[in-house]
Structure formats: structure tokens, C-alpha cells
Amino acid sequence: MAGITDLPFRRMVARFGAGLVVSEMVASGEMLTKKPSVRAKARVEMGLELPTSVQLAGREAQPMAEAAKMVADMGARIIDINMGCPAKKVTGGASGSALMRDPDHALRLIEATVNAVDLPVTLKMRLGWCDDSRNAPEIARRAEAAGIRMIVVHGRTRMQFYKGEADWAAIAETRDAVKIPVVANGDIVDAASARVALAQSGAAGAMVGRGAQGAPWRLAEISHALFGAPAPTVPHGRALSEFISEHYEAILSFYGRDLGLRLARKHLGWYADEAGAPLRAEMMVSETPEATLSLIERAFGERMAA
């Protein structure tokens, strides 16, 4: 997720365990400019046991292929092609889910990316552009033939954005169209929703997006409930305060003090929402690391322990 699944957040998720973590979406054209801020999105924790997939977005085959080679050299274990982002600034540039409107062009992009690297390449998409064009099964078949190794389908069309409810049952058509694993995505926020999504879609797995905001342990909880993975030890009270403080300081270290102060606020807000912690408003306007760390201790440590 753009602006969310950065390296500091992925480290926190990795602590609890998950089958796979995915980087922020990286624009292939911007990646080739070698801007430090863009390359930072694709940074992979070398030595991290948890596999990391770097997600690339683009509209032309050659830049996608070149960007794929770059992130492979940076340590990515998997490359994911984004054909699911519904944002206007992405689809307006003929990237993301806009590629589903032109399957022939999308396949040229997929083939170029697959042929550029020795890594597994996966595909993330939606049911289609709109209800009159639910072409995910067709694209999936062609993508599998081109060498795609796994497909994730968000159970909405692009025109739905994030409105309404994800149609997990509709993902079954894509699952039936291919032999490679198909993963269900959309509105999966806990073990209960994951269980229903898998039952309705018949998918091989579940991908969690917004459901992990403020809860880096959520993926491990779902894996434990559905697949028997080890149960995570979810922090509470002082342990939660120390965990969030560590995440906060990692954000400042990664982005620098000034930018980190601003970017960390959304994570603190999600942690507060998840835990029902007080002092949320104060954390959103705190202007120094020292003051923010004190608020974290009071909100998540002292008060919740009491």
C-alpha cells in the first residue's frame, strides 16, 4: 500500500510472521530516474527471512523490464505487477487497473517483465474495469501462459474503488481459469473474514491490506487461525507502548526527523484506533519526537496497563 508498507512497517510485520510482504507500489518510470526517495520504496531488508515482493506499476513494457532488473539487483525475492490500483493519478497515466482495459497491451508489459528477470513474477488485479468488463479470468489465462506464477484478485472492479463490499465469490471464476495459485483480496481484516473469503472464492490464500493498519500482527493471527501457523504474541500495555515506540523511531530513522514526524502520525492514529487508546488527537499534532514518545507511553503503556 502506497505510503504504508514501507520498510519500517514490513519489519514490524516480519517480527510476527507472514507468508509474504509486499512493498509500496513503485512507478517503473520513476524507478529508472534513480531518485533516492523512489528507490527507498523498493528497499528490501537483506537477510530478512520473510520473503519480500516489490510491486511495480507502469504503462510501457521496456521501463517495466528495466525496473524489474533494478529491483532484482536490490534483493527482491518476487516482483509483482500492479494492475489493480484504482487511483485516478495512476489510471490516468494508463497504469494500474487501467491496463485491464487493454489486455493485449497489458500482456506485452507482463511478457517483458517476466523475460527480464529470473525471479518469480506475480500479478495483482481487480475483477475488471467495470461491471460490463469483468475480464479478470481472461487476463489470468493469458498471464499464466506468459509465465506469471501467482495472481491476486481484489474482489471489486476499478469503478467501485473501495465502495460497497468485495465480491469474493466472483474471484472463483479467475481461480477456475488457471492452474497457478489465486489469492483473494479485499475487505479481509481478520480471521473470520479471511475464512469466508477463502470459502467463497476457493482461493489458495488471502492477502491483507488495510486490515493490517495499526495491527502488524494481523497476518500472523490469520495464518494461525486458518493454517495452523504459530500464534503471535500480541503486545499489550507497556509491551505495546515499547513496540509502537520502536516503530516510531524506525520511521524517523528511515525518513529523517521532519518527514518522519509527519508520516508517522497515520500509523499512530491506526494504533490508537486498533487499541482504543486515548490521546489520539494529541499525537496527531505533536511536533517533537520527545513529546510524541511521551504520549505513546502514556496512551499505550501507563493508561492501558492501568
Side-chain angles (χ1 to χ4, degrees):
M1 295 179 287
I4 301 170
T5 54
D6 54 19
L7 184 56
F9 184 73
R10 297 198 305 271
R11 284 173 178 158
M12 307 316 282
V13 171
R15 182 170 305 183
F16 298 97
L20 176 72
V21 291
V22 185
S23 75
E24 300 176 77
M25 181 179 66
V26 182
S28 57
E30 292 184 1
M31 187 71 188
L32 299 182
T33 67
K34 299 184 179 180
K35 292 181 180 178
S37 60
V38 177
R39 290 174 65 88
K41 294 181 179 180
R43 269 188 59 188
V44 175
E45 183 80 284
M46 301 304 290
L48 188 67
E49 292 184 1
L50 190 60
T52 299
S53 173
V54 175
Q55 187 178 88
L56 296 176
R59 61 182 176 182
E60 299 297 337
Q62 190 58 34
M64 282 289 290
E66 293 178 17
K69 293 177 182 177
M70 289 181 66
V71 298
D73 290 341
M74 291 172 64
R77 300 272 290 278
I78 298 171
I79 293 173
D80 186 53
I81 298 174
N82 184 298
M83 282 176 48
C85 181
K88 291 182 180 179
K89 66 180 180 180
V90 175
T91 59
S95 297
S97 55
L99 289 167
M100 299 192 75
R101 303 179 75 177
D102 189 348
D104 290 341
H105 179 63
L107 261 292
R108 288 192 289 272
L109 185 149
I110 290 170
E111 290 169 350
T113 306
V114 170
N115 293 333
V117 295
D118 293 328
L119 299 175
V121 179
T122 62
L123 177 65
K124 174 79 166 15
M125 61 180 173
R126 289 191 164 222
L127 298 175
W129 177 260
C130 63
D131 283 335
D132 293 332
S133 180
R134 291 195 172 207
N135 58 353
E138 172 202 346
I139 292 175
R141 281 191 291 268
R142 297 180 66 181
E144 180 182 33
I148 288 293
R149 302 280 292 276
M150 183 179 78
I151 294 173
V152 180
V153 182
H154 183 116
R156 288 182 175 87
T157 66
R158 184 272 174 181
M159 295 305 293
Q160 287 179 277
F161 288 89
Y162 295 100
K163 298 177 182 177
E165 297 180 349
D167 186 353
W168 297 320
I171 297 173
E173 295 181 25
T174 301
R175 178 213 61 194
D176 293 341
V178 296
K179 295 181 181 179
I180 57 177
V182 172
V183 175
N185 176 240
D187 295 349
I188 299 173
V189 297
D190 53 23
S193 55
R195 185 174 285 108
V196 176
L198 292 181
Q200 292 185 2
S201 67
M207 178 169 283
V208 179
R210 291 170 291 169
Q213 292 173 176
W217 47 83
R218 185 72 73 231
L219 285 77
E221 289 180 329
I222 294 173
S223 295
H224 170 67
L226 272 62
F227 305 113
T233 301
V234 179
H236 296 284
R238 186 164 298 282
L240 179 59
S241 171
E242 292 173 353
F243 178 84
I244 295 172
S245 294
E246 183 178 345
H247 186 188
Y248 179 75
E249 292 179 318
I251 293 172
L252 298 188
S253 176
F254 189 72
Y255 291 104
R257 180 187 182 279
D258 293 340
L259 180 57
L261 274 169
R262 298 195 300 273
L263 296 180
R265 287 170 180 160
K266 58 191 171 189
H267 288 281
L268 296 179
W270 291 325
Y271 280 124
D273 293 341
E274 173 72 19
L279 304 177
R280 186 187 193 281
E282 289 89 336
M283 284 187 283
M284 295 302 99
V285 296
S286 178
E287 296 183 353
T288 68
E290 296 77 15
T292 304
L293 289 168
S294 177
L295 286 166
I296 291 172
E297 183 177 2
R298 289 167 56 198
F300 298 97
E302 298 173 2
R303 295 196 181 187
M304 295 191 72

